[in-house]
Amino acid sequence: MPSINSFRCNQYFATHNNAFWHIVGDALGHRRKAPEGGWRTKSGTSTKIPSFIEDHLLYKEGPYLTYEEQLSALMEAGFALWDVLRSCEREGSTDSKIRMKSVAGNDIKGFCDENPSIRRICFASGSSTATYFRKFNEGWLKRNQFSFAKNEATQKVFKKFATSRKRKREGAPLANDTENGREESERNCGKIELVVMQSVSPAFTRPWKNTPETPKASSMIYTDKRAFWFQHAFGIESPSGEQRHYIR
């Protein structure tokens, strides 16, 4: 569900230190333009893009795109944005504060049926969003219409369904790696891939805790998230020589 700030602005991922629109800009060749009056905290105080994002943006000189222009660019690139939940009751902005008995899901299956070119669903806010999708779409998930990304978070959320598919394949003749890869590609042809992404939320920072062994881990929050999104959402390579800390 969008944050309080996103509701106030009537924009997805409106918070200045949310990684989403910065990653989109880096992937599509622009950068996010500050709103009129500059960036503001939820209390209205003037602020700026944090250095762990600003220092690593790929298009520092622009072109700068407004929210509406970025949204259009994303759609033109073949992407769509929607909420897994249609409505809920929540205190604050985090999914952990959602009252479970209040949730109602959007008709994601109906949207995919109306748009059969959709080949991948990326859960931008991570495991919590994917868990709600699983809750409202268990029947759909059982119909063998999905493939599942192999990263840890995706396998954990959809373990029941990914394991079921694996069991059905047991007993098949042994094959070499090339044949296995080709067979898996054929099995997944026409299916929608589900990917639990590294959350773009500024609250998702736990894996980047600075320690004596990794004193600069927090400086790589954005580059790690961007690399994951480049690979799993946009299908492009990360900048060469980029420092990384957390990869899963």
Side-chain angles (χ1 to χ4, degrees):
M1 237 12 208
S3 67
I4 292 174
N5 190 41
S6 290
F7 276 120
R8 180 178 60 80
C9 298
N10 195 28
Q11 297 178 355
Y12 282 109
F13 308 111
T15 305
H16 68 289
N17 57 348
N18 186 295
F20 183 81
W21 289 113
H22 301 298
I23 292 173
V24 169
D26 281 345
L28 301 183
H30 58 259
R31 71 171 294 179
R32 185 182 184 189
K33 184 178 182 179
E36 186 176 350
W39 301 110
R40 298 280 173 178
T41 65
K42 60 184 178 181
S43 63
T45 305
S46 178
T47 189
K48 60 182 181 179
I49 304 298
S51 60
F52 70 83
I53 294 177
E54 179 70 38
D55 292 349
H56 299 286
L57 293 176
L58 301 181
Y59 298 91
K60 295 182 184 297
E61 305 304 319
Y64 287 82
L65 269 60
T66 64
Y67 173 78
E68 290 75 16
E69 291 169 334
Q70 277 202 295
L71 192 59
S72 294
L74 187 65
M75 301 301 160
E76 289 171 5
F79 295 86
L81 282 177
W82 204 20
D83 302 298
V84 169
L85 296 184
R86 182 175 75 250
S87 63
C88 70
E89 295 177 6
R90 180 186 66 190
E91 294 181 8
S93 292
T94 61
D95 288 350
S96 62
K97 299 295 185 180
I98 291 175
R99 295 186 178 94
M100 285 296 296
K101 292 183 179 180
S102 72
V103 297
N106 271 322
D107 185 10
I108 306 296
K109 183 181 184 303
F111 183 78
C112 290
D113 288 344
E114 292 174 4
N115 298 274
S117 63
I118 292 174
R119 297 270 56 88
R120 182 178 296 113
I121 297 175
C122 298
F123 300 101
S125 297
S127 297
S128 59
T129 309
T131 300
Y132 283 116
F133 176 87
R134 184 186 66 196
K135 171 182 173 66
F136 290 108
N137 294 281
E138 183 162 351
W140 188 21
L141 285 161
K142 290 178 179 178
R143 296 179 189 175
N144 197 29
Q145 296 180 0
F146 296 96
S147 63
F148 304 92
K150 295 181 179 179
N151 64 305
E152 181 180 324
T154 302
Q155 290 295 311
K156 183 176 181 179
V157 172
F158 297 105
K159 180 180 179 180
K160 172 182 175 181
F161 305 99
T163 302
S164 175
R165 288 183 61 225
K166 182 178 180 181
R167 286 173 179 168
K168 289 179 181 179
R169 296 197 300 269
E170 287 181 355
L174 293 174
N176 61 37
D177 289 343
T178 301
E179 291 172 338
N180 283 334
R182 182 170 60 248
E183 289 175 3
E184 182 172 4
S185 179
E186 291 173 352
R187 285 194 300 269
N188 292 337
C189 183
K191 294 181 179 179
I192 299 173
E193 182 186 33
L194 301 182
V195 191
V196 178
M197 306 297 286
Q198 285 193 6
S199 174
V200 291
S201 169
F204 179 53
T205 60
R206 187 175 60 255
W208 295 276
K209 183 178 180 180
N210 290 334
T211 68
E213 293 75 26
T214 56
K216 297 183 179 180
S218 61
S219 68
M220 302 177 211
I221 295 174
Y222 178 71
T223 53
D224 278 358
K225 291 185 179 185
R226 180 175 65 193
F228 189 95
W229 277 78
F230 271 22
Q231 177 185 352
H232 292 280
F234 295 97
I236 57 179
E237 296 290 332
S238 297
S240 60
E242 185 174 76
Q243 284 190 317
R244 306 281 299 285
H245 170 66
Y246 175 77
I247 308 173
R248 288 192 184 182

